[in-house]
Amino acid sequence: MNVLYLHGLESKPTGPKMKYLRDRFENFYAPEIDYEEYDAFNNVLDLCNEKEIDVVIGSSMGGYFACNVGTIKNIPVVVFNPALHSREIDPFGVETGQFPLDGIAALGMSDTVIDPIETYKMLENHEQMAIMAIKGMGHRIPITTFINVIEKALPPGIK
């Protein structure tokens, strides 16, 4: 399985989440993204084509990118507090595709950066999206929650 991880706006692809993903998946990609760069979104699409990505995992701004990539490339997503609204910046060239949004959205119900209720309203009519409202979780995702959501999203034994 080819997995792409897209970090948040003020994050980098480092730390325990990246270690888990590296250990969990045989083919794992986590580019460092400057979301203000002109070609950022197109670069992600190009990477999806080049590496034949099977699932996109994203957090916050990375979740926003993941959702749009998923609808363009027909790839399932696992997103955490996706910045579908209330973004600090509006990256250039981000488009929505023709395919239905498919996957899981984990929403921290204590998130004060991206309003989870607004996000829920934006996602609730996407029939192929499961929404997990996580009580007590804010914008930052604890490693245990990150792992639990991904393990629920992907079939056992998938490497």
Side-chain angles (χ1 to χ4, degrees), residues 14-80:
T14 61
K17 292 174 188 159
M18 297 312 97
K19 181 181 178 341
Y20 158 74
L21 292 170
R22 241 180 251 104
D23 292 346
R24 173 67 170 81
F25 300 104
E26 289 178 7
N27 298 306
F28 163 69
Y29 307 92
E32 187 167 335
I33 302 169
D34 177 353
Y35 289 102
E36 296 186 65
E37 181 183 302
Y38 180 80
D39 287 331
F41 187 70
N42 283 330
N43 290 341
V44 170
L45 289 174
D46 289 346
L47 182 62
C48 288
N49 290 334
E50 178 186 331
K51 302 298 184 184
E52 298 180 1
I53 298 299
D54 297 305
V55 65
V56 182
I57 300 168
S59 180
S60 193
M61 185 67 78
Y64 168 60
F65 266 43
C67 286
N68 287 284
V69 166
T71 66
I72 291 171
K73 306 297 297 171
N74 198 24
I75 300 172
V77 302
V78 179
V79 293
F80 298 85

Short mmCIF file of all heavy atoms in Angstrom, two decimals, residues 14-80:
data_model
loop_
_atom_site.label_atom_id
_atom_site.label_comp_id
_atom_site.label_asym_id
_atom_site.label_seq_id
_atom_site.Cartn_x
_atom_site.Cartn_y
_atom_site.Cartn_z
N THR A 14 7.69 15.14 10.97
CA THR A 14 8.66 14.56 11.90
C THR A 14 7.91 14.06 13.13
O THR A 14 6.72 14.30 13.29
CB THR A 14 9.70 15.61 12.35
OG1 THR A 14 9.02 16.68 13.01
CG2 THR A 14 10.49 16.16 11.17
N GLY A 15 8.63 13.37 14.00
CA GLY A 15 8.07 12.98 15.30
C GLY A 15 7.46 11.60 15.32
O GLY A 15 7.60 10.81 14.39
N PRO A 16 6.75 11.30 16.42
CA PRO A 16 6.22 9.94 16.63
C PRO A 16 5.18 9.51 15.59
O PRO A 16 5.08 8.33 15.28
CB PRO A 16 5.62 9.98 18.03
CG PRO A 16 5.59 11.40 18.45
CD PRO A 16 6.52 12.16 17.58
N LYS A 17 4.41 10.45 15.05
CA LYS A 17 3.43 10.06 14.03
C LYS A 17 4.14 9.55 12.78
O LYS A 17 3.72 8.56 12.18
CB LYS A 17 2.52 11.25 13.69
CG LYS A 17 1.62 11.62 14.84
CD LYS A 17 0.84 12.88 14.56
CE LYS A 17 0.12 13.30 15.82
NZ LYS A 17 -0.25 14.69 15.82
N MET A 18 5.22 10.21 12.42
CA MET A 18 5.96 9.77 11.23
C MET A 18 6.64 8.44 11.49
O MET A 18 6.69 7.58 10.60
CB MET A 18 7.01 10.81 10.81
CG MET A 18 6.44 12.16 10.39
SD MET A 18 5.07 12.07 9.21
CE MET A 18 3.66 12.20 10.31
N LYS A 19 7.13 8.23 12.70
CA LYS A 19 7.76 6.94 13.04
C LYS A 19 6.72 5.82 12.93
O LYS A 19 6.99 4.77 12.34
CB LYS A 19 8.36 6.97 14.44
CG LYS A 19 9.04 5.64 14.81
CD LYS A 19 9.62 5.62 16.19
CE LYS A 19 10.25 4.32 16.58
NZ LYS A 19 9.93 3.12 15.86
N TYR A 20 5.53 6.05 13.48
CA TYR A 20 4.46 5.06 13.37
C TYR A 20 4.15 4.75 11.91
O TYR A 20 4.07 3.58 11.51
CB TYR A 20 3.20 5.55 14.09
CG TYR A 20 1.95 4.87 13.60
CD1 TYR A 20 1.67 3.55 13.93
CD2 TYR A 20 1.07 5.54 12.75
CE1 TYR A 20 0.53 2.91 13.44
CE2 TYR A 20 -0.06 4.91 12.27
CZ TYR A 20 -0.32 3.60 12.61
OH TYR A 20 -1.44 2.98 12.11
N LEU A 21 3.98 5.79 11.09
CA LEU A 21 3.63 5.58 9.69
C LEU A 21 4.75 4.86 8.94
O LEU A 21 4.48 3.96 8.13
CB LEU A 21 3.30 6.92 9.02
CG LEU A 21 2.01 7.59 9.50
CD1 LEU A 21 1.91 9.01 8.97
CD2 LEU A 21 0.79 6.78 9.13
N ARG A 22 6.00 5.23 9.22
CA ARG A 22 7.15 4.57 8.58
C ARG A 22 7.21 3.08 8.96
O ARG A 22 7.50 2.24 8.13
CB ARG A 22 8.45 5.26 9.00
CG ARG A 22 9.21 5.83 7.83
CD ARG A 22 10.49 6.50 8.26
NE ARG A 22 10.34 7.93 8.08
CZ ARG A 22 10.14 8.81 9.05
NH1 ARG A 22 10.10 8.45 10.30
NH2 ARG A 22 9.98 10.08 8.78
N ASP A 23 6.93 2.80 10.24
CA ASP A 23 6.95 1.41 10.71
C ASP A 23 5.73 0.62 10.21
O ASP A 23 5.83 -0.58 9.98
CB ASP A 23 6.98 1.36 12.24
CG ASP A 23 8.29 1.87 12.83
OD1 ASP A 23 9.28 2.01 12.08
OD2 ASP A 23 8.31 2.14 14.05
N ARG A 24 4.62 1.28 10.05
CA ARG A 24 3.34 0.63 9.72
C ARG A 24 3.20 0.29 8.24
O ARG A 24 2.63 -0.73 7.88
CB ARG A 24 2.19 1.54 10.17
CG ARG A 24 0.79 1.10 9.77
CD ARG A 24 0.36 -0.17 10.45
NE ARG A 24 -1.03 -0.47 10.25
CZ ARG A 24 -1.55 -1.04 9.17
NH1 ARG A 24 -0.79 -1.36 8.14
NH2 ARG A 24 -2.84 -1.29 9.10
N PHE A 25 3.73 1.15 7.38
CA PHE A 25 3.52 0.99 5.94
C PHE A 25 4.84 0.80 5.20
O PHE A 25 5.81 1.50 5.46
CB PHE A 25 2.77 2.20 5.36
CG PHE A 25 1.43 2.40 5.99
CD1 PHE A 25 1.22 3.41 6.92
CD2 PHE A 25 0.36 1.57 5.66
CE1 PHE A 25 -0.02 3.60 7.50
CE2 PHE A 25 -0.88 1.75 6.25
CZ PHE A 25 -1.07 2.76 7.18
N GLU A 26 4.83 -0.12 4.25
CA GLU A 26 6.02 -0.38 3.45
C GLU A 26 6.39 0.81 2.58
O GLU A 26 7.56 1.14 2.42
CB GLU A 26 5.82 -1.62 2.58
CG GLU A 26 5.79 -2.90 3.38
CD GLU A 26 5.53 -4.13 2.52
OE1 GLU A 26 5.51 -4.01 1.28
OE2 GLU A 26 5.35 -5.20 3.11
N ASN A 27 5.39 1.45 1.98
CA ASN A 27 5.62 2.58 1.09
C ASN A 27 4.90 3.80 1.64
O ASN A 27 3.69 3.94 1.48
CB ASN A 27 5.13 2.26 -0.33
CG ASN A 27 5.87 1.08 -0.92
OD1 ASN A 27 7.09 1.08 -0.96
ND2 ASN A 27 5.13 0.07 -1.35
N PHE A 28 5.67 4.63 2.30
CA PHE A 28 5.14 5.78 3.00
C PHE A 28 5.87 7.04 2.53
O PHE A 28 7.09 7.06 2.45
CB PHE A 28 5.31 5.57 4.51
CG PHE A 28 5.19 6.82 5.32
CD1 PHE A 28 3.97 7.45 5.44
CD2 PHE A 28 6.28 7.37 5.93
CE1 PHE A 28 3.85 8.61 6.17
CE2 PHE A 28 6.18 8.53 6.67
CZ PHE A 28 4.96 9.14 6.78
N TYR A 29 5.09 8.07 2.22
CA TYR A 29 5.65 9.33 1.73
C TYR A 29 5.10 10.48 2.57
O TYR A 29 3.90 10.52 2.87
CB TYR A 29 5.30 9.54 0.25
CG TYR A 29 5.68 8.35 -0.59
CD1 TYR A 29 4.77 7.33 -0.83
CD2 TYR A 29 6.97 8.22 -1.08
CE1 TYR A 29 5.13 6.21 -1.56
CE2 TYR A 29 7.34 7.10 -1.82
CZ TYR A 29 6.40 6.11 -2.05
OH TYR A 29 6.77 5.00 -2.78
N ALA A 30 5.98 11.39 2.96
CA ALA A 30 5.58 12.54 3.77
C ALA A 30 6.44 13.75 3.36
O ALA A 30 7.41 14.07 4.03
CB ALA A 30 5.74 12.24 5.25
N PRO A 31 6.06 14.39 2.27
CA PRO A 31 6.86 15.54 1.83
C PRO A 31 6.69 16.73 2.78
O PRO A 31 5.63 16.90 3.39
CB PRO A 31 6.28 15.86 0.46
CG PRO A 31 4.84 15.40 0.55
CD PRO A 31 4.89 14.18 1.43
N GLU A 32 7.73 17.53 2.89
CA GLU A 32 7.59 18.79 3.62
C GLU A 32 6.98 19.79 2.65
O GLU A 32 7.49 19.98 1.53
CB GLU A 32 8.95 19.28 4.12
CG GLU A 32 8.81 20.48 5.02
CD GLU A 32 10.08 20.82 5.77
OE1 GLU A 32 10.91 19.91 6.00
OE2 GLU A 32 10.23 21.99 6.12
N ILE A 33 5.87 20.39 3.04
CA ILE A 33 5.10 21.25 2.14
C ILE A 33 5.11 22.69 2.66
O ILE A 33 4.82 22.93 3.83
CB ILE A 33 3.65 20.76 2.02
CG1 ILE A 33 3.61 19.32 1.52
CG2 ILE A 33 2.83 21.68 1.11
CD1 ILE A 33 2.25 18.67 1.62
N ASP A 34 5.40 23.62 1.76
CA ASP A 34 5.21 25.04 2.02
C ASP A 34 3.87 25.39 1.37
O ASP A 34 3.79 25.54 0.14
CB ASP A 34 6.34 25.86 1.42
CG ASP A 34 6.15 27.36 1.59
OD1 ASP A 34 5.06 27.79 2.06
OD2 ASP A 34 7.07 28.12 1.23
N TYR A 35 2.83 25.47 2.17
CA TYR A 35 1.48 25.66 1.64
C TYR A 35 1.29 27.02 0.96
O TYR A 35 0.29 27.22 0.27
CB TYR A 35 0.44 25.45 2.74
CG TYR A 35 0.33 23.99 3.15
CD1 TYR A 35 0.93 23.52 4.31
CD2 TYR A 35 -0.36 23.09 2.36
CE1 TYR A 35 0.83 22.18 4.68
CE2 TYR A 35 -0.46 21.75 2.72
CZ TYR A 35 0.14 21.30 3.87
OH TYR A 35 0.05 19.99 4.22
N GLU A 36 2.23 27.92 1.13
CA GLU A 36 2.15 29.21 0.45
C GLU A 36 2.87 29.20 -0.90
O GLU A 36 2.79 30.15 -1.66
CB GLU A 36 2.72 30.30 1.35
CG GLU A 36 1.87 30.47 2.61
CD GLU A 36 2.30 31.64 3.46
OE1 GLU A 36 2.17 32.78 2.98
OE2 GLU A 36 2.75 31.41 4.59
N GLU A 37 3.56 28.10 -1.19
CA GLU A 37 4.25 27.96 -2.47
C GLU A 37 3.21 27.82 -3.60
O GLU A 37 2.22 27.10 -3.47
CB GLU A 37 5.15 26.72 -2.43
CG GLU A 37 5.94 26.49 -3.69
CD GLU A 37 6.76 25.22 -3.60
OE1 GLU A 37 7.58 25.13 -2.66
OE2 GLU A 37 6.55 24.34 -4.44
N TYR A 38 3.46 28.46 -4.70
CA TYR A 38 2.55 28.51 -5.83
C TYR A 38 2.14 27.11 -6.32
O TYR A 38 0.97 26.86 -6.61
CB TYR A 38 3.21 29.31 -6.97
CG TYR A 38 2.37 29.44 -8.21
CD1 TYR A 38 1.34 30.37 -8.29
CD2 TYR A 38 2.60 28.62 -9.30
CE1 TYR A 38 0.57 30.50 -9.43
CE2 TYR A 38 1.82 28.73 -10.46
CZ TYR A 38 0.82 29.67 -10.51
OH TYR A 38 0.06 29.78 -11.64
N ASP A 39 3.08 26.19 -6.40
CA ASP A 39 2.83 24.86 -6.96
C ASP A 39 2.57 23.78 -5.91
O ASP A 39 2.58 22.59 -6.24
CB ASP A 39 4.01 24.42 -7.82
CG ASP A 39 4.08 25.17 -9.14
OD1 ASP A 39 3.02 25.57 -9.64
OD2 ASP A 39 5.20 25.34 -9.66
N ALA A 40 2.33 24.16 -4.66
CA ALA A 40 2.21 23.16 -3.59
C ALA A 40 1.16 22.10 -3.90
O ALA A 40 1.42 20.89 -3.78
CB ALA A 40 1.91 23.84 -2.26
N PHE A 41 -0.04 22.51 -4.28
CA PHE A 41 -1.11 21.55 -4.53
C PHE A 41 -0.79 20.68 -5.75
O PHE A 41 -0.97 19.45 -5.70
CB PHE A 41 -2.45 22.26 -4.70
CG PHE A 41 -3.62 21.32 -4.79
CD1 PHE A 41 -4.04 20.61 -3.67
CD2 PHE A 41 -4.30 21.14 -5.98
CE1 PHE A 41 -5.12 19.72 -3.74
CE2 PHE A 41 -5.37 20.25 -6.06
CZ PHE A 41 -5.79 19.55 -4.95
N ASN A 42 -0.32 21.29 -6.81
CA ASN A 42 0.04 20.51 -8.01
C ASN A 42 1.17 19.54 -7.73
O ASN A 42 1.20 18.44 -8.28
CB ASN A 42 0.39 21.43 -9.17
CG ASN A 42 -0.85 22.03 -9.80
OD1 ASN A 42 -1.91 21.42 -9.80
ND2 ASN A 42 -0.72 23.22 -10.33
N ASN A 43 2.11 19.93 -6.86
CA ASN A 43 3.20 19.01 -6.49
C ASN A 43 2.66 17.78 -5.78
O ASN A 43 3.16 16.67 -5.99
CB ASN A 43 4.24 19.72 -5.63
CG ASN A 43 5.04 20.75 -6.41
OD1 ASN A 43 5.08 20.73 -7.63
ND2 ASN A 43 5.66 21.67 -5.69
N VAL A 44 1.66 17.97 -4.94
CA VAL A 44 1.04 16.83 -4.24
C VAL A 44 0.32 15.92 -5.24
O VAL A 44 0.43 14.70 -5.18
CB VAL A 44 0.09 17.32 -3.12
CG1 VAL A 44 -0.74 16.17 -2.55
CG2 VAL A 44 0.88 18.00 -2.01
N LEU A 45 -0.40 16.53 -6.18
CA LEU A 45 -1.07 15.72 -7.21
C LEU A 45 -0.05 14.93 -8.03
O LEU A 45 -0.27 13.75 -8.34
CB LEU A 45 -1.90 16.62 -8.14
CG LEU A 45 -3.16 17.23 -7.55
CD1 LEU A 45 -3.80 18.20 -8.54
CD2 LEU A 45 -4.16 16.16 -7.13
N ASP A 46 1.06 15.58 -8.38
CA ASP A 46 2.11 14.90 -9.14
C ASP A 46 2.68 13.72 -8.36
O ASP A 46 2.92 12.65 -8.92
CB ASP A 46 3.24 15.88 -9.50
CG ASP A 46 2.83 16.90 -10.55
OD1 ASP A 46 1.78 16.71 -11.21
OD2 ASP A 46 3.56 17.90 -10.70
N LEU A 47 2.88 13.91 -7.05
CA LEU A 47 3.39 12.83 -6.21
C LEU A 47 2.41 11.66 -6.18
O LEU A 47 2.81 10.49 -6.23
CB LEU A 47 3.69 13.35 -4.80
CG LEU A 47 4.28 12.34 -3.82
CD1 LEU A 47 5.64 11.84 -4.30
CD2 LEU A 47 4.41 12.98 -2.44
N CYS A 48 1.12 11.97 -6.12
CA CYS A 48 0.10 10.91 -6.14
C CYS A 48 0.18 10.10 -7.42
O CYS A 48 0.03 8.87 -7.39
CB CYS A 48 -1.29 11.51 -5.97
SG CYS A 48 -1.64 12.11 -4.32
N ASN A 49 0.40 10.76 -8.52
CA ASN A 49 0.53 10.06 -9.81
C ASN A 49 1.80 9.23 -9.85
O ASN A 49 1.78 8.06 -10.22
CB ASN A 49 0.55 11.06 -10.97
CG ASN A 49 -0.79 11.71 -11.19
OD1 ASN A 49 -1.83 11.16 -10.86
ND2 ASN A 49 -0.77 12.91 -11.75
N GLU A 50 2.90 9.84 -9.46
CA GLU A 50 4.21 9.20 -9.53
C GLU A 50 4.29 7.96 -8.64
O GLU A 50 4.82 6.93 -9.04
CB GLU A 50 5.28 10.21 -9.12
CG GLU A 50 6.68 9.67 -9.10
CD GLU A 50 7.67 10.69 -8.55
OE1 GLU A 50 7.45 11.91 -8.69
OE2 GLU A 50 8.68 10.25 -7.96
N LYS A 51 3.76 8.05 -7.43
CA LYS A 51 3.88 6.96 -6.45
C LYS A 51 2.66 6.07 -6.39
O LYS A 51 2.60 5.15 -5.58
CB LYS A 51 4.17 7.53 -5.05
CG LYS A 51 5.42 8.39 -4.98
CD LYS A 51 6.67 7.61 -5.33
CE LYS A 51 7.91 8.47 -5.16
NZ LYS A 51 9.12 7.78 -5.59
N GLU A 52 1.66 6.35 -7.21
CA GLU A 52 0.42 5.57 -7.22
C GLU A 52 -0.15 5.41 -5.81
O GLU A 52 -0.33 4.31 -5.29
CB GLU A 52 0.63 4.22 -7.90
CG GLU A 52 1.05 4.35 -9.35
CD GLU A 52 1.27 3.02 -10.05
OE1 GLU A 52 1.08 1.95 -9.42
OE2 GLU A 52 1.64 3.06 -11.24
N ILE A 53 -0.44 6.55 -5.19
CA ILE A 53 -0.90 6.61 -3.81
C ILE A 53 -2.27 5.92 -3.65
O ILE A 53 -3.17 6.14 -4.45
CB ILE A 53 -0.96 8.07 -3.32
CG1 ILE A 53 0.45 8.71 -3.35
CG2 ILE A 53 -1.61 8.19 -1.95
CD1 ILE A 53 1.47 8.03 -2.47
N ASP A 54 -2.40 5.09 -2.60
CA ASP A 54 -3.63 4.36 -2.31
C ASP A 54 -4.50 5.04 -1.26
O ASP A 54 -5.71 4.84 -1.24
CB ASP A 54 -3.29 2.95 -1.82
CG ASP A 54 -2.58 2.14 -2.88
OD1 ASP A 54 -3.11 2.02 -4.00
OD2 ASP A 54 -1.47 1.64 -2.60
N VAL A 55 -3.89 5.79 -0.34
CA VAL A 55 -4.63 6.50 0.69
C VAL A 55 -3.84 7.74 1.09
O VAL A 55 -2.61 7.71 1.13
CB VAL A 55 -4.93 5.59 1.93
CG1 VAL A 55 -3.67 5.18 2.64
CG2 VAL A 55 -5.90 6.27 2.88
N VAL A 56 -4.58 8.82 1.35
CA VAL A 56 -3.96 10.07 1.78
C VAL A 56 -4.42 10.37 3.19
O VAL A 56 -5.61 10.40 3.47
CB VAL A 56 -4.31 11.26 0.85
CG1 VAL A 56 -3.59 12.53 1.31
CG2 VAL A 56 -3.98 10.95 -0.60
N ILE A 57 -3.44 10.57 4.08
CA ILE A 57 -3.71 10.95 5.46
C ILE A 57 -3.29 12.40 5.61
O ILE A 57 -2.21 12.78 5.15
CB ILE A 57 -2.90 10.06 6.43
CG1 ILE A 57 -3.28 8.59 6.24
CG2 ILE A 57 -3.11 10.50 7.88
CD1 ILE A 57 -2.36 7.61 6.94
N GLY A 58 -4.13 13.21 6.23
CA GLY A 58 -3.77 14.62 6.37
C GLY A 58 -4.32 15.23 7.64
O GLY A 58 -5.37 14.82 8.15
N SER A 59 -3.59 16.21 8.14
CA SER A 59 -3.98 16.91 9.36
C SER A 59 -4.10 18.40 9.06
O SER A 59 -3.20 18.99 8.46
CB SER A 59 -2.92 16.66 10.43
OG SER A 59 -3.27 17.33 11.62
N SER A 60 -5.22 18.99 9.46
CA SER A 60 -5.47 20.43 9.33
C SER A 60 -5.34 20.87 7.87
O SER A 60 -6.12 20.44 7.03
CB SER A 60 -4.55 21.20 10.29
OG SER A 60 -4.97 22.54 10.39
N MET A 61 -4.35 21.70 7.54
CA MET A 61 -4.19 22.13 6.14
C MET A 61 -3.90 20.93 5.26
O MET A 61 -4.37 20.84 4.13
CB MET A 61 -3.07 23.16 6.02
CG MET A 61 -2.92 23.73 4.61
SD MET A 61 -4.31 24.75 4.06
CE MET A 61 -3.94 26.26 4.96
N GLY A 62 -3.15 19.96 5.78
CA GLY A 62 -2.91 18.72 5.04
C GLY A 62 -4.20 17.94 4.83
O GLY A 62 -4.37 17.27 3.81
N GLY A 63 -5.12 18.03 5.78
CA GLY A 63 -6.43 17.40 5.63
C GLY A 63 -7.26 18.06 4.55
O GLY A 63 -7.99 17.40 3.81
N TYR A 64 -7.14 19.39 4.46
CA TYR A 64 -7.81 20.14 3.38
C TYR A 64 -7.28 19.69 2.03
O TYR A 64 -8.04 19.36 1.12
CB TYR A 64 -7.58 21.63 3.61
CG TYR A 64 -7.97 22.53 2.47
CD1 TYR A 64 -9.27 22.58 1.98
CD2 TYR A 64 -7.02 23.38 1.89
CE1 TYR A 64 -9.62 23.42 0.94
CE2 TYR A 64 -7.36 24.24 0.86
CZ TYR A 64 -8.66 24.25 0.38
OH TYR A 64 -9.00 25.09 -0.64
N PHE A 65 -5.94 19.64 1.89
CA PHE A 65 -5.34 19.15 0.66
C PHE A 65 -5.79 17.72 0.38
O PHE A 65 -6.15 17.38 -0.75
CB PHE A 65 -3.81 19.20 0.75
CG PHE A 65 -3.17 20.45 0.20
CD1 PHE A 65 -3.70 21.71 0.46
CD2 PHE A 65 -2.01 20.37 -0.54
CE1 PHE A 65 -3.09 22.86 -0.03
CE2 PHE A 65 -1.39 21.50 -1.04
CZ PHE A 65 -1.93 22.75 -0.79
N ALA A 66 -5.75 16.86 1.40
CA ALA A 66 -6.12 15.45 1.23
C ALA A 66 -7.54 15.30 0.70
O ALA A 66 -7.78 14.51 -0.22
CB ALA A 66 -5.96 14.70 2.56
N CYS A 67 -8.47 16.04 1.26
CA CYS A 67 -9.86 15.95 0.81
C CYS A 67 -9.98 16.30 -0.67
O CYS A 67 -10.67 15.61 -1.43
CB CYS A 67 -10.76 16.86 1.65
SG CYS A 67 -11.07 16.25 3.32
N ASN A 68 -9.31 17.35 -1.08
CA ASN A 68 -9.38 17.76 -2.48
C ASN A 68 -8.66 16.79 -3.40
O ASN A 68 -9.16 16.46 -4.47
CB ASN A 68 -8.86 19.20 -2.63
CG ASN A 68 -9.85 20.18 -2.06
OD1 ASN A 68 -10.87 20.47 -2.66
ND2 ASN A 68 -9.59 20.66 -0.86
N VAL A 69 -7.51 16.31 -2.97
CA VAL A 69 -6.79 15.29 -3.75
C VAL A 69 -7.67 14.05 -3.90
O VAL A 69 -7.78 13.48 -4.99
CB VAL A 69 -5.44 14.92 -3.08
CG1 VAL A 69 -4.87 13.65 -3.68
CG2 VAL A 69 -4.45 16.07 -3.20
N GLY A 70 -8.32 13.65 -2.82
CA GLY A 70 -9.19 12.48 -2.87
C GLY A 70 -10.29 12.60 -3.90
O GLY A 70 -10.60 11.62 -4.58
N THR A 71 -10.88 13.79 -4.02
CA THR A 71 -11.97 13.98 -4.99
C THR A 71 -11.46 14.10 -6.42
O THR A 71 -12.21 13.86 -7.36
CB THR A 71 -12.84 15.20 -4.65
OG1 THR A 71 -12.07 16.40 -4.79
CG2 THR A 71 -13.43 15.09 -3.26
N ILE A 72 -10.21 14.45 -6.59
CA ILE A 72 -9.62 14.54 -7.93
C ILE A 72 -9.11 13.18 -8.39
O ILE A 72 -9.33 12.77 -9.52
CB ILE A 72 -8.47 15.59 -7.96
CG1 ILE A 72 -9.05 17.00 -7.79
CG2 ILE A 72 -7.66 15.49 -9.26
CD1 ILE A 72 -8.01 18.08 -7.58
N LYS A 73 -8.42 12.47 -7.49
CA LYS A 73 -7.75 11.22 -7.85
C LYS A 73 -8.56 9.97 -7.48
O LYS A 73 -8.11 8.87 -7.75
CB LYS A 73 -6.38 11.14 -7.17
CG LYS A 73 -5.47 12.33 -7.42
CD LYS A 73 -5.07 12.50 -8.84
CE LYS A 73 -4.27 11.36 -9.35
NZ LYS A 73 -4.05 11.39 -10.79
N ASN A 74 -9.71 10.14 -6.84
CA ASN A 74 -10.54 9.02 -6.37
C ASN A 74 -9.75 8.12 -5.41
O ASN A 74 -9.70 6.91 -5.57
CB ASN A 74 -11.08 8.21 -7.55
CG ASN A 74 -12.26 7.35 -7.16
OD1 ASN A 74 -12.96 7.63 -6.19
ND2 ASN A 74 -12.49 6.30 -7.91
N ILE A 75 -9.14 8.79 -4.42
CA ILE A 75 -8.32 8.11 -3.41
C ILE A 75 -8.99 8.30 -2.05
O ILE A 75 -9.39 9.42 -1.71
CB ILE A 75 -6.90 8.72 -3.37
CG1 ILE A 75 -6.20 8.57 -4.72
CG2 ILE A 75 -6.07 8.08 -2.26
CD1 ILE A 75 -4.86 9.32 -4.79
N PRO A 76 -9.11 7.25 -1.23
CA PRO A 76 -9.67 7.41 0.11
C PRO A 76 -8.75 8.25 0.99
O PRO A 76 -7.53 8.28 0.79
CB PRO A 76 -9.77 5.99 0.66
CG PRO A 76 -9.37 5.08 -0.42
CD PRO A 76 -8.80 5.86 -1.55
N VAL A 77 -9.36 8.92 1.96
CA VAL A 77 -8.62 9.80 2.86
C VAL A 77 -8.90 9.46 4.32
O VAL A 77 -9.95 8.93 4.65
CB VAL A 77 -8.96 11.29 2.61
CG1 VAL A 77 -8.66 11.68 1.17
CG2 VAL A 77 -10.42 11.60 2.95
N VAL A 78 -7.92 9.79 5.16
CA VAL A 78 -8.10 9.77 6.61
C VAL A 78 -7.62 11.15 7.04
O VAL A 78 -6.43 11.47 6.92
CB VAL A 78 -7.27 8.67 7.29
CG1 VAL A 78 -7.47 8.72 8.81
CG2 VAL A 78 -7.63 7.30 6.74
N VAL A 79 -8.55 11.99 7.52
CA VAL A 79 -8.19 13.37 7.84
C VAL A 79 -8.51 13.69 9.29
O VAL A 79 -9.47 13.18 9.86
CB VAL A 79 -8.87 14.37 6.88
CG1 VAL A 79 -8.33 14.21 5.46
CG2 VAL A 79 -10.39 14.23 6.87
N PHE A 80 -7.67 14.54 9.85
CA PHE A 80 -7.79 14.98 11.23
C PHE A 80 -7.99 16.49 11.22
O PHE A 80 -7.14 17.23 10.71
CB PHE A 80 -6.53 14.62 12.02
CG PHE A 80 -6.27 13.14 12.09
CD1 PHE A 80 -5.60 12.48 11.08
CD2 PHE A 80 -6.72 12.40 13.17
CE1 PHE A 80 -5.36 11.11 11.14
CE2 PHE A 80 -6.49 11.04 13.24
CZ PHE A 80 -5.81 10.39 12.23
#
